[in-house]
């Protein structure tokens, strides 16, 4: 199996770096620090990272216009002007549920946002995976989730892949792009305890899955049909949270990480934890979907 090493792309001490998504219109990587309550916009050409403060924990971000994105805050979805940082409510989803927060969300090929919540503690209300339509109307697509996480669609739009981290499984569903219906649930990847927990996921142009390994110091490439690990990228951080293909040619894999939930020893071993890492893994990704009409 091919083993590779990610390099430090941008040194920063994010608490819970997450949700990277490449904005191919602006040539920037959008990513969040959930616990740091920051939306980050990183330009790999200039190596400048711009941070916008948001009022509560930010679960994810998806571009929705030239200077606009949708962000998940603790009670719902908001629009944010990516220049001024001004936010306005778009859709309330979990108002009044203080036991949960949002965690990861991406758009399907029709530009609807699929966003999930997670329990902050083990007890409390179950979390859900929601679908948010262009007009802000929402529906619960999967209920009884623990830690809703990575979600991605195949290039032919027929399969949706989804992670509920504590299950250590990536599940696949048949996807109907016209209605957003999902059916025929099956397990496509199951991680061993030694791999850690599956976190964010990306897909490449060969249809293979890239899975960030929380607790596993790596991102691994899995065959989406056989479920076998076919490549591993070591990352100098314990808790690797998500990855996204980006760069002009979509040939760079950007990787986010967390600096939380590490022992003192681990903190000393991984001084760059919380930073953004990158690698050119030798295969290209596919464009990410934006919210709403395709721009
Ligand atoms: C969440 C963490 C969680 C982890 C588990 C991440 O996406 O942000 O809070 O502990 O997934 O896999
Ligand atoms: Ca995640």
């Amino acid at each position: 199996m091919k083993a590779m090493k990610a390099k430090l792309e941008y040194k920063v001490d994010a608490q819970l770096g997450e949700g990277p998504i490449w904005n191919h219109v602006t040539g920037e990587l959008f990513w969040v620090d959930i616990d740091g309550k920051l939306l980050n916009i990183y330009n790999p050409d200039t190596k400048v990272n711009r941070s916008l403060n948001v009022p509560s924990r930010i679960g994810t971000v998806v571009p929705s216009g030239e200077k606009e994105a949708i962000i998940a805050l603790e009670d719902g979805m908001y629009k944010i002007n990516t220049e001024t940082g001004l936010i306005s409510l778009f859709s309330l989803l979990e108002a009044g549920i203080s036991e949960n927060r949002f965690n990861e969300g991406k758009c399907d090929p029709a530009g609807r946002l699929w966003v999930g919540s997670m329990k902050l503690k083990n007890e409390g209300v179950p979390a859900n995976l929601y679908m948010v339509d262009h007009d802000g109307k929402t529906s619960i697509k999967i209920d009884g989730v623990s830690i809703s996480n990575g979600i991605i669609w195949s290039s032919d739009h027929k399969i949706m892949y989804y992670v509920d981290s504590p299950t250590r499984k990536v599940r696949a569903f048949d996807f109907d792009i016209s209605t957003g219906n999902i059916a025929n649930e099956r397990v496509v990847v199951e991680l061993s305890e030694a791999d850690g927990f599956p976190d964010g996921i990306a897909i490449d142009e060969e249809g293979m899955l890239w899975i960030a390994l929380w607790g596993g110091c790596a991102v691994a490439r899995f065959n989406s049909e056989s479920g076998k690990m076919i490549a591993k990228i070591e990352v100098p951080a314990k808790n690797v949270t998500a990855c996204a293909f980006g760069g002009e040619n979509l040939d760079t894999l950007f990787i986010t990480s967390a600096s939380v939930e590490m022992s003192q020893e681990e903190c000393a071993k991984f001084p760059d934890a919380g930073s953004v890492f990158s690698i050119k893994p030798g295969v290209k990704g596919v464009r990410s979907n934006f919210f709403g009409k395709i721009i």
Side-chain angles (χ1 to χ4, degrees):
M1 197 180 51
K2 244 169 116 184
M4 298 171 270
K5 279 194 168 110
K7 71 169 174 60
L8 183 63
E9 170 70 36
Y10 180 71
K11 166 92 178 155
V12 56
D13 56 353
Q15 295 175 50
L16 188 47
E18 271 278 9
I21 181 167
W22 181 252
N23 184 329
H24 56 264
V25 174
T26 63
E28 293 163 321
L29 184 79
F30 286 20
W31 64 285
V32 300
D33 179 352
I34 297 180
D35 289 346
K37 301 177 187 163
L38 293 174
L39 167 61
N40 292 298
I41 299 180
Y42 173 70
N43 183 327
D45 292 335
T46 59
K47 307 262 180 216
V48 172
N49 187 65
R50 204 157 52 84
S51 297
L52 297 165
N53 285 292
V54 294
S56 68
R57 277 176 284 208
I58 171 170
T60 196
V61 57
V62 286
S64 55
E66 231 172 283
K67 291 172 191 160
E68 188 195 86
I70 304 284
I71 53 172
L73 295 184
E74 282 178 35
D75 56 355
M77 302 303 120
Y78 289 76
K79 284 187 178 169
I80 185 164
N81 180 311
T82 52
E83 277 190 349
T84 62
L86 219 67
I87 64 169
S88 58
L89 180 63
F90 180 58
S91 183
L92 274 182
L93 281 177
E94 290 203 345
I97 307 181
S98 55
E99 298 94 332
N100 290 352
R101 69 157 163 85
F102 284 100
N103 187 55
E104 190 59 283
K106 291 279 182 284
C107 290
D108 71 19
R112 313 173 190 99
L113 173 63
W114 293 60
V115 61
S117 51
M118 64 171 267
K119 299 192 226 181
L120 288 166
K121 295 201 182 102
N122 248 344
E123 68 270 21
V125 264
N128 296 310
L129 175 69
Y130 302 87
M131 184 179 83
V132 184
D133 225 316
H134 298 177
D135 57 2
K137 231 195 295 156
T138 65
S139 46
I140 293 179
K141 304 301 283 190
I142 303 179
D143 60 9
V145 171
S146 293
I147 300 182
S148 190
N149 231 318
I151 187 161
I152 201 93
W153 287 261
S154 61
S155 318
D156 65 5
H157 306 162
K158 290 194 174 139
I159 306 174
M160 182 183 98
Y161 298 97
Y162 176 62
V163 173
D164 179 0
S165 290
T167 65
R168 291 191 203 270
K169 290 175 183 144
V170 181
R171 288 182 277 170
F173 299 80
D174 293 344
F175 180 70
D176 182 340
I177 187 171
S178 58
T179 58
N181 281 343
I182 49 172
N184 189 24
E185 174 183 342
R186 64 253 181 211
V187 173
V188 286
V189 176
E190 184 155 10
L191 296 188
S192 71
E193 229 177 282
D195 293 329
F197 290 97
D199 206 309
I201 54 179
I203 197 162
D204 64 37
E205 60 177 4
E206 294 171 7
M208 302 292 134
L209 295 171
W210 294 79
I211 307 178
L213 303 177
W214 177 273
C217 313
V219 172
R221 186 185 192 215
F222 285 81
N223 185 309
S224 48
E225 275 170 18
S226 69
K228 293 225 166 74
M229 192 189 287
I230 44 182
K232 195 165 192 176
I233 295 172
E234 286 170 33
V235 181
K238 179 191 176 197
N239 295 320
V240 183
T241 53
C243 56
F245 282 95
E248 213 187 318
N249 303 313
L250 293 174
D251 58 355
T252 302
L253 190 70
F254 292 99
I255 302 163
T256 52
S257 65
S259 60
V260 294
E261 292 186 37
M262 290 196 293
S263 66
Q264 256 186 1
E265 258 174 32
E266 288 162 347
C267 288
K269 186 171 169 197
F270 299 118
D272 294 332
S275 297
V276 177
F277 301 91
S278 71
I279 186 166
K280 289 198 175 193
V283 61
K284 289 182 187 180
V286 292
R287 266 193 188 177
S288 42
N289 304 313
F290 290 180
F291 182 80
K293 63 177 181 359
I294 311 303
I295 58 167

